Amino acid sequence: MLSSLPLAAHAQGQAAPAPQLATPAPVAAPVTRTILSLRVEGSQRIEQDTVLSYTKLRVGQPFTNETLDQAIKDLYSSDFFADVSIAGAESGNIVLRIRENPVINRVILEGNKRLKEDKIRKEIKLAPRQIFTRTAVRQDIARIVELYRRQGRFAASIQPKMVALDQNRVDVVFEISEGSKSKVRAINIIGNEVFKDSKLREQMATKQARLTTLLSSNTSYDQDRMAYDQQKLRQFYLTEGYADFRVTSAVAELTPDKKDFIITYVVEEGPRYKFGDVTVDSSIRDFDNKKLAEGLTIKKGDWYDAKKVENSVDQLNETAGLFGYAFTEVNPEFNRDRETLTMSMNFNIAEAKRSYVERVEINGNTNTQDKVIRREIRLAEGDAFNSFQVKRSTDRINSLGYFQDKFELKQNPGSAPDRVILTADIEEKSTGELQLSAGFSSLESFIIQASIRQRNFRGKGQELRASVNYSSYSKSIELGFTEPYLFDKNIAIGGDIFRRDYNSFNLTASGDRNTTYQQVSTGFQLRTGVPLTEYWSLSGRYGLSFDNVTLDKSTYYTNGVCDPIRAGRYLCDSIGNRATSSVGYSLVYDSLNSRLRPSAGHNFIFSQDFAGLGGDVKYIRTKFNASKFWGIGGGFIASARAEGGYIKSLEKSRGVGIDKIRITDRFYLGEPDFRGFDIRGVGPRVQRVPYVTDANGVQTLTTNRDNIVDDALGGRAYYSGRLELEIPLGSGARELGLRPSIYVQAGALFGVTRPLPTIANCANGATTSCFPTLANGAIGQAFIPTLDASGAQLYSFTRADGGQITTTCPVGIPDSTGACNGIVPNTRLGQAIDPFLERFVGDSAKPRISVGAGVNWTSPFGPLRIDVAYALLKDKGDDTKLVTFNVGTSF
């Protein structure tokens, strides 16, 4: 602007000459002048000399209009000035008039909810006490927008504002409009003919935004994920035989409203190939090439599958590892024949040396002691390398449950080609478990259960546990400790002490919960175990417990004796004190790849306990438990479980209708082991079904289950089995910790002596304490007489003054000689029992079957298991339950 001023003034003072075509107009030479003086106006914080230092203007030096223009540009480029102008050019007395950029007082963020303030401030450059510049503001806006784009919020916008303050200060305000996440509205695939779009979308990590994907985090656009999806498509086609498949283009378009993306893939499928000749060429002399080729899973004529090729490479590596070759190179060579559409394979195994373990390194353990990890590793320094032992060591360390999931024992080259360094890079996780549950119900009133367990106590692999249970009907406390390696020897030892107060119950005719017997158990158990082989182990135990089974005397006793009519003969037969001294053993086979969350392998447990080393109880209890797990591909895990048991009494008969195995020693079946049935919901039981009379006087048995008194008796034998399939979910559900499964379950509990009826029907020969048959055919009340200590019938005598006297005289009252004196009959004392039918049900080996679905959820407040199971087959008297859940936490 300054350089144009003289020319403009000249043009205004003269008329323009006529144009001359032959002779061009002369170019005016720059006017050179000298700076006579140099001064700065408007500076507040910056010294005059500092301002001048940003320019090349100096007193006594010549200058032109171009020199002044460059000085203005130099001052602006310093970012210290908001406005710059120059005066005095005509006289040579140059004045630099400046307005300094303000100083930032505060940087304020408004509207950010999805991104925390500390994350944004790490990216922006503006800060208090810095010089404000518009360039810096634009750069910070770009950085914030990029942060939101990384979150998939492409509609985010930032509006900067500057609030002027005194002393040339400003507050910089970033008003942030975050907008919603930009979802993937559609994924279009062009060029596919063999597979449908829906099938190909299943292979991708990116998902279309739909109601079914609300919980998924993969519906937002991610450029890296898009590249990953292209690889997934290629992998899928390669496993289906399309070796020439390629993605020719992948485009993501943002809709005009910046809310959604539309992704389009253009693909070329190509022809489908089959495997041709499959050979192995090994440079290791120990190997038979023909046998190695025959052992591979891929065969000539099969459809080409890149996954099978990878598996074959792994199989050959594992085979070499079994023979001690740790770093064998297996290179698959492909020979593609486009005419016959075959893919011949040759697996070239390079020459290698046998390897030995140079050392074992353990890194990352801050709490767990080295020896806890080393004792699970099946190879030591100097041992010949063996890939099977490496895998077994990995499985054993994973089974500890102390470290991150999917731990792998790495193999690294040692100091020589035939040396291997085994490295355990571990990441410890919480090994403490705290389970808490509390609630209130009409049956149990207030309930609280708590258990604490530390599986790696003091970092030594020891297990310490304690549990407390409290409700109106059960109270218990248990303490336990296990040392898996006593004196660093492979001998496990442990013990438990316990006190359990349990109140059994039934449901009365009014639907209320009624306590039947109370059992108080106090005792301890000592345990030990030793390995027999890598997979077999043997454990032994000794236990001593003291049990006291009682009944409420005010409810179930008559004349100081348990009343079978009130309690039931099966309960009266169970009361008393007894001591149980037992010794037992368990034979265990375990090849699971993880004891916490197995996905492969199987285990088997056979155990027996003999009670009779002293004490009052004699029996042999036999149990078995077996399970097997399969990883069937695609993240699916199938499992099969079976268990059963039998108790053989070694005691003499305790009377007619009395089982030799006491009710507290029997097996019980139901929740939580048998889903679909309530606690003790399966097996033999006694039901008291009351008679009801309708308005017409017709007497029938009630069909209302709530009015039937139900007592579970347990059984001497049981079996149970379950088939379960764990279903993998998308990445969004996996991030939430959801692991659903479906299952079918079968089992039964049976084998108990049929108890004698509490009250018989008078028509069956009973003369007292029986239900009479009335004239109209209905069942009448039974009368239970009240007896004195000697067993004599008691009567009530009414005196002349109206008072009542209890006597044993049927008439009158006894005189001084003891003889009954009177003629008026007295009233018999006793209790009238409403008629009921007592039936024994459920004692059947016929299988009960249930189907259901459940989900394990690693929730913010701890692991939660919810099951919905429906009983398909049940026996008469079984109690079913549709929904169950359990919750806990870890620390």
Side-chain angles (χ1 to χ4, degrees):
M1 290 177 65
L2 292 174
S3 62
S4 66
L5 288 176
L7 294 177
H10 178 76
Q12 291 175 1
Q14 301 182 25
Q20 303 202 7
L21 301 177
T23 303
V27 179
V31 179
T32 302
R33 286 157 288 180
T34 302
I35 300 176
L36 301 178
S37 65
L38 197 57
R39 183 164 51 89
V40 177
E41 292 182 357
S43 61
Q44 297 179 358
R45 300 183 310 274
I46 305 175
E47 296 293 335
Q48 176 174 317
D49 292 342
T50 303
V51 175
L52 294 175
S53 68
Y54 288 105
T55 72
K56 297 179 180 179
L57 302 179
R58 299 293 183 268
V59 176
Q61 291 184 354
F63 74 94
T64 63
N65 290 339
E66 287 77 7
T67 305
L68 298 180
D69 285 345
Q70 185 61 44
I72 292 175
K73 293 178 181 178
D74 291 340
L75 290 172
Y76 272 123
S77 65
S78 70
D79 283 338
F80 288 137
F81 309 105
D83 186 38
V84 179
S85 64
I86 297 179
E90 296 82 1
S91 63
N93 296 311
I94 304 299
V95 179
L96 299 179
R97 292 173 180 169
I98 63 172
R99 181 163 56 87
E100 296 176 353
N101 273 330
V103 175
I104 298 174
N105 179 54
R106 291 185 301 168
V107 179
I108 303 171
L109 303 175
E110 293 182 353
N112 56 306
K113 297 180 180 178
R114 301 297 180 181
L115 273 179
K116 293 183 178 180
E117 189 167 310
D118 57 345
K119 290 186 177 180
I120 298 177
R121 291 194 180 277
K122 288 178 182 178
E123 294 293 326
I124 62 178
K125 303 300 181 183
L126 291 179
R129 295 183 297 279
Q130 289 185 354
I131 303 299
F132 170 85
T133 65
R134 297 186 184 275
T135 301
V137 171
R138 287 192 295 268
Q139 291 173 348
D140 281 351
I141 289 174
R143 292 186 183 98
I144 298 173
V145 168
E146 180 61 26
L147 283 177
Y148 277 101
R149 288 193 171 189
R150 292 176 193 171
Q151 277 203 341
R153 299 182 184 275
F154 286 80
S157 61
I158 291 87
Q159 183 67 36
K161 289 188 177 181
M162 184 178 69
V163 180
L165 304 174
D166 57 357
Q167 299 178 356
N168 199 21
R169 296 176 302 134
V170 293
D171 284 344
V172 180
V173 181
F174 290 109
E175 292 184 351
I176 301 173
S177 175
E178 296 181 314
S180 59
K181 272 194 174 184
S182 299
K183 302 291 185 180
V184 176
R185 179 188 297 176
I187 300 176
N188 300 320
I189 305 172
I190 300 173
N192 55 309
E193 297 178 358
V194 180
F195 298 102
K196 295 181 179 179
D197 288 6
S198 57
K199 180 67 175 178
L200 298 181
R201 291 191 194 105
E202 290 178 2
Q203 313 306 318
M204 302 179 187
T206 304
K207 303 300 179 184
Q208 298 180 126
R210 300 289 187 270
L211 289 176
T212 55
T213 57
L214 284 177
L215 296 177
S216 176
S217 62
N218 291 344
T219 56
S220 59
Y221 170 73
D222 187 315
Q223 186 174 359
D224 294 335
R225 192 186 299 131
M226 188 174 170
Y228 174 73
D229 287 339
Q230 295 180 58
Q231 294 299 322
K232 292 289 289 183
L233 282 176
R234 176 163 174 76
Q235 290 175 9
F236 171 72
Y237 270 94
L238 288 177
T239 59
E240 296 294 333
Y242 295 89
D244 295 335
F245 171 84
R246 66 191 186 100
V247 179
T248 58
S249 71
V251 179
E253 296 178 282
L254 185 62
T255 56
D257 58 5
K258 296 185 178 181
K259 291 184 178 180
D260 298 303
F261 274 91
I262 297 176
I263 300 176
T264 303
Y265 295 100
V266 180
V267 303
E268 290 182 4
E269 293 178 321
R272 194 178 189 188
Y273 289 78
K274 288 186 176 181
F275 282 113
D277 294 329
V278 180
T279 59
V280 175
D281 183 10
S282 174
S283 300
I284 302 176
R285 288 177 295 179
D286 294 342
F287 292 167
D288 186 323
N289 294 339
K290 185 177 180 180
K291 289 185 179 180
L292 287 177
E294 291 174 352
L296 297 178
T297 57
I298 56 177
K299 305 297 179 183
K300 183 177 181 179
D302 293 346
W303 289 113
Y304 173 77
D305 187 339
K307 182 63 176 175
K308 288 185 177 180
V309 176
E310 292 180 9
N311 292 340
S312 297
V313 171
D314 293 339
Q315 180 181 343
L316 292 173
N317 274 318
E318 289 179 4
T319 302
L322 291 175
F323 287 88
Y325 298 95
F327 302 111
T328 305
E329 292 186 12
V330 180
N331 299 312
E333 298 173 351
F334 301 86
N335 185 12
R336 182 178 306 169
D337 190 332
R338 300 183 187 277
E339 293 183 1
T340 61
L341 296 181
T342 58
M343 184 79 73
S344 298
M345 300 292 307
N346 178 55
F347 294 92
N348 187 5
I349 304 178
E351 186 176 359
K353 294 183 178 180
R354 292 185 184 274
S355 302
Y356 298 86
V357 178
E358 182 174 345
R359 65 179 182 273
V360 178
E361 295 181 348
I362 299 175
N363 306 315
N365 54 316
T366 57
N367 179 52
T368 307
Q369 297 183 7
D370 274 15
K371 67 178 183 180
V372 174
I373 304 169
R374 289 184 181 276
R375 66 196 184 196
E376 302 299 332
I377 299 177
R378 315 325 279 170
L379 291 168
E381 285 84 351
D383 288 351
F385 177 83
N386 186 298
S387 59
F388 174 79
Q389 297 289 10
V390 172
K391 183 180 183 303
R392 178 60 180 166
S393 301
T394 299
D395 291 344
R396 289 181 66 93
I397 293 175
N398 276 322
S399 294
L400 293 175
Y402 305 161
F403 314 114
Q404 79 280 8
D405 295 336
K406 298 182 179 179
F407 161 84
E408 290 187 5
L409 192 62
K410 298 178 181 178
Q411 309 159 30
N412 298 316
S415 59
D418 61 345
R419 295 291 183 264
V420 180
I421 298 175
L422 298 180
T423 304
D425 292 324
I426 64 175
E427 180 183 341
E428 293 180 317
K429 65 180 182 180
S430 300
T431 55
E433 298 174 1
L434 175 64
Q435 289 189 332
L436 297 171
S437 62
F440 183 87
S441 73
S442 58
L443 296 180
E444 295 240 27
S445 297
F446 185 72
I447 309 166
I448 183 170
Q449 294 177 322
S451 65
I452 186 171
R453 179 186 178 199
Q454 175 54 260
R455 294 180 289 107
N456 189 15
F457 184 58
R458 300 189 302 166
K460 294 184 176 182
Q462 301 166 339
E463 181 176 307
L464 183 66
R465 58 192 176 276
S467 64
V468 176
N469 174 76
Y470 180 85
S471 74
S472 299
Y473 291 89
S474 63
K475 304 173 185 65
S476 66
I477 182 170
E478 299 185 29
L479 300 173
F481 177 78
T482 302
E483 167 57 71
Y485 277 76
L486 183 64
F487 305 124
D488 293 330
K489 303 295 183 181
N490 203 352
I491 301 174
I493 191 169
D496 304 277
I497 57 174
F498 58 86
R499 166 66 183 259
R500 306 184 186 108
D501 296 358
Y502 175 73
N503 297 342
S504 185
F505 65 91
N506 59 25
L507 296 178
T508 65
S510 62
D512 296 329
R513 184 167 180 168
N514 177 56
T515 300
T516 54
Y517 67 85
Q518 298 90 40
Q519 178 184 0
V520 177
S521 299
T522 305
F524 69 90
Q525 185 183 76
L526 299 177
R527 297 171 279 104
T528 186
V530 294
L532 301 178
T533 65
E534 179 62 30
Y535 297 104
W536 287 96
S537 62
L538 179 67
S539 64
R541 56 192 167 270
Y542 171 77
L544 178 64
S545 64
F546 299 91
D547 297 297
N548 181 23
V549 180
T550 60
L551 291 170
D552 186 356
K553 293 185 177 181
S554 63
T555 304
Y556 298 109
Y557 277 56
T558 300
N559 300 320
V561 179
C562 180
D563 191 339
I565 296 175
R566 296 184 177 185
R569 293 185 185 277
Y570 44 88
L571 292 182
C572 289
D573 294 337
S574 301
I575 62 175
N577 296 321
R578 65 180 183 275
T580 303
S581 177
S582 65
V583 63
Y585 72 93
S586 293
L587 185 63
V588 181
Y589 178 86
D590 187 351
S591 66
L592 298 178
N593 62 347
S594 173
R595 296 188 186 97
L596 302 179
R597 289 182 56 187
S599 59
H602 51 277
N603 73 342
F604 174 79
I605 303 174
F606 179 82
S607 62
Q608 285 188 309
D609 289 277
F610 168 72
L613 292 177
D616 307 309
V617 180
K618 295 181 180 180
Y619 61 75
I620 295 179
R621 176 188 284 116
T622 303
K623 290 181 63 177
F624 79 91
N625 188 307
S627 61
K628 184 172 179 60
F629 294 83
W630 302 268
I632 58 178
F636 290 88
I637 300 175
S639 62
R641 295 178 175 88
E643 63 176 295
Y646 180 75
I647 304 177
K648 170 67 175 178
S649 176
L650 302 178
E651 300 182 26
K652 297 180 180 179
S653 173
R654 297 195 296 140
V656 179
I658 303 175
D659 198 284
K660 290 190 288 183
I661 300 296
R662 292 168 176 80
I663 195 171
T664 54
D665 295 326
R666 301 170 192 166
F667 295 119
Y668 291 89
L669 193 60
E671 183 195 345
D673 298 322
F674 201 162
R675 303 160 188 169
F677 292 87
D678 206 346
I679 299 174
R680 300 189 174 190
V682 177
R685 58 214 322 107
V686 170
Q687 293 180 331
R688 289 189 178 187
V689 187
Y691 286 94
V692 293
T693 304
D694 60 18
N696 298 322
V698 178
Q699 187 183 58
T700 58
L701 290 172
T702 184
T703 57
N704 186 348
R705 186 64 183 267
D706 292 337
N707 293 332
I708 299 175
V709 179
D710 189 315
D711 280 322
L713 302 183
R716 285 181 291 175
Y718 84 100
Y719 67 85
S720 176
R722 181 167 77 240
L723 295 175
E724 189 164 4
L725 179 64
E726 185 174 313
I727 303 172
L729 295 180
S731 58
R734 288 197 301 269
E735 290 172 5
L736 293 175
L738 296 175
R739 292 187 295 111
S741 63
I742 56 175
Y743 49 83
V744 58
Q745 195 162 358
L749 177 71
F750 54 94
V752 68
T753 301
R754 183 187 186 98
L756 295 176
T758 301
I759 303 179
N761 192 297
C762 298
N764 294 334
T767 56
T768 60
S769 302
C770 58
F771 292 117
T773 302
L774 306 180
N776 61 357
I779 305 299
Q781 290 182 326
F783 184 80
I784 310 301
T786 301
L787 308 177
D788 65 4
S790 62
Q793 170 70 61
L794 293 177
Y795 297 85
S796 177
F797 172 80
T798 303
R799 299 183 309 192
D801 58 3
Q804 301 292 324
I805 297 176
T806 299
T807 178
T808 57
C809 292
V811 295
I813 57 175
D815 56 18
S816 57
T817 64
C820 296
N821 188 4
I823 58 175
V824 179
N826 294 330
T827 302
R828 293 178 64 193
L829 294 180
Q831 179 183 6
I833 305 298
D834 290 333
F836 61 83
L837 175 66
E838 191 172 64
R839 59 192 183 195
F840 176 66
V841 294
D843 188 19
S844 170
K846 182 180 70 174
R848 283 74 155 174
I849 300 177
S850 67
V851 295
V855 60
N856 285 305
W857 177 29
T858 308
S859 67
F861 47 86
L864 175 67
R865 172 78 190 190
I866 301 177
D867 284 285
V868 178
Y870 178 76
L872 291 178
L873 290 180
K874 59 180 181 178
D875 203 24
K876 191 173 183 179
D878 290 341
D879 291 329
T880 61
K881 189 173 184 179
L882 184 64
V883 180
T884 59
F885 70 92
N886 185 45
V887 65
T889 189
S890 299
F891 66 95

